[in-house]
């Protein structure tokens, strides 16, 4: 019944490898977001989307790409993973349009880049 | 620039008591939204409660309520009758300028409820 799901939940990748994190939401929200959470930095916005086909850069987009092929799905892509991208990644959805609204989070993906 | 500050790094309280967590924010917007989230030990982030800046009444949701003091740019979270399961990290957040739906988060306050 979870409205925002993420896969995988845990991932170990090698430096230089490609990583794709997936997010699916059943809230029918237009907006979706990708964050990373690191100790001392809180939640930082990487990319976001206003709807299918749209992606926008957040506060820390370098080294990441995003894809929104449908209303329900939003992916985060690390083309060349680096150890500095080891973190916990959260996807969220929120809002029927660009108006302010609370966001609902997925369970997170723990990514380790060796 | 917009900013959200949670000055309390951690708080410890006894079960069944009331706790208040502080949050101050900076914004030049005339209309904005404020939120509180809870992150459990498993890492799950849960939306708790929201305050619309144009509303004078403090929002309430179950045993959560807010102390909204707009002139002080302050939005405190009050938890009454705390339970062990309220132990978690609590984040304050604010809507960003530009009507984009994006939020800016504080760094969080860790609450430990003792039996």
């Amino acid at each position: 019944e979870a409205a925002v799901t993420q896969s995988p939940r845990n991932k170990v990748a090698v430096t230089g490898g490609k990583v794709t994190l997936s997010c699916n939401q059943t809230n029918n929200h237009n907006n979706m977001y990708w964050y990373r959470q690191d100790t001392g930095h809180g939640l930082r916005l990487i990319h976001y989307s206003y709807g299918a086909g749209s992606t926008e850069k957040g506060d820390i987009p370098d080294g990441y790409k995003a894809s929104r092929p449908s209303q329900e799905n939003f992916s985060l892509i690390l083309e060349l993973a680096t150890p500095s991208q080891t973190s916990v990644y959260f996807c969220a959805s929120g809002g029927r349009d660009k108006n302010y609204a609370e966001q609902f989070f997925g369970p997170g993906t723990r990514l380790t880049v060796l | 620039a917009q900013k959200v500050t949670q000055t309390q790094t951690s708080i410890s309280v006894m079960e069944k008591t009331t706790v208040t967590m502080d949050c101050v924010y900076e914004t030049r917007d005339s209309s904005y939204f404020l939120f509180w989230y809870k992150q459990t030990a498993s890492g799950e982030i849960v939306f708790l409660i929201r305050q619309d800046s144009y509303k004078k009444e403090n929002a309430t949701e179950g045993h959560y309520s807010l102390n909204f003091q707009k002139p002080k740019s302050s939005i405190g979270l009050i938890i009454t009758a705390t339970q062990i399961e309220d132990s978690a990290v609590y984040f304050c957040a604010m809507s960003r300028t530009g009507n984009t739906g994006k939020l800016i988060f504080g760094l969080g306050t860790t609450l430990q409820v003792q039996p």
Side-chain angles (χ1 to χ4, degrees):
Chain A
E1 178 182 290
V4 182
T5 57
Q6 295 182 230
S7 63
R9 295 294 312 278
N10 291 280
K11 173 75 177 178
V12 178
V14 296
T15 298
K18 182 177 181 178
V19 177
T20 299
L21 306 183
S22 299
C23 177
N24 177 276
Q25 57 107 355
T26 57
N27 294 321
N28 196 31
H29 288 153
N30 286 343
N31 294 8
M32 295 185 74
Y33 310 83
W34 275 107
Y35 296 90
R36 63 178 285 176
Q37 185 179 36
D38 305 284
T39 303
H41 290 282
L43 285 161
R44 293 184 289 176
L45 182 64
I46 305 170
H47 283 288
Y48 61 103
S49 168
Y50 291 128
S54 114
T55 61
E56 306 286 341
K57 293 181 178 179
D59 300 319
I60 53 165
D62 293 346
Y64 303 94
K65 293 172 64 175
S67 174
R68 182 87 181 271
S70 65
Q71 176 82 340
E72 298 79 18
N73 296 294
F74 190 36
S75 297
L76 185 68
I77 304 155
L78 291 66
E79 295 277 5
L80 295 170
T82 68
S84 64
Q85 293 175 313
T86 293
S87 186
V88 180
Y89 291 85
F90 288 94
C91 175
S93 76
R96 298 184 187 278
D97 51 33
K98 293 183 181 181
N99 291 328
Y100 303 106
E102 52 268 31
Q103 294 179 13
F104 298 92
F105 285 79
T109 295
R110 183 172 297 276
L111 173 65
T112 302
V113 183
L114 302 176
Chain B
Q2 292 184 295
K3 191 176 181 181
V4 175
T5 303
Q6 296 178 253
T7 56
Q8 300 156 306
T9 304
S10 64
I11 302 174
S12 182
V13 301
M14 299 302 293
E15 192 178 13
K16 300 180 185 178
T17 61
T18 295
V19 63
T20 299
M21 281 175 270
D22 300 329
C23 176
V24 293
Y25 57 90
E26 297 174 24
T27 184
R28 294 184 177 182
D29 292 350
S30 57
S31 179
Y32 48 89
F33 297 83
L34 301 161
F35 309 88
W36 279 91
Y37 287 83
K38 170 185 178 181
Q39 186 169 31
T40 64
S42 67
E44 181 186 16
I45 300 175
V46 180
F47 164 71
L48 295 178
I49 192 169
R50 159 181 164 177
Q51 178 76 41
D52 299 352
S53 65
Y54 56 86
K55 292 185 177 179
K56 293 185 177 179
E57 305 78 24
N58 290 319
T60 63
E61 189 68 48
H63 77 143
Y64 303 108
S65 61
L66 297 178
N67 179 18
F68 180 41
Q69 300 183 58
K70 194 171 182 179
K72 295 184 178 181
S73 296
S74 171
I75 183 74
L77 174 68
I78 303 166
I79 306 176
T80 57
T82 52
Q83 303 163 9
I84 302 297
E85 51 266 36
D86 290 324
S87 298
V89 179
Y90 290 81
F91 293 98
C92 177
M94 176 176 66
S95 53
R96 296 201 200 188
T97 300
N99 203 25
T100 63
K102 296 188 293 183
L103 303 180
I104 180 167
F105 288 85
L107 293 182
T109 295
T110 300
L111 174 66
Q112 187 168 18
V113 181
Q114 308 275 10

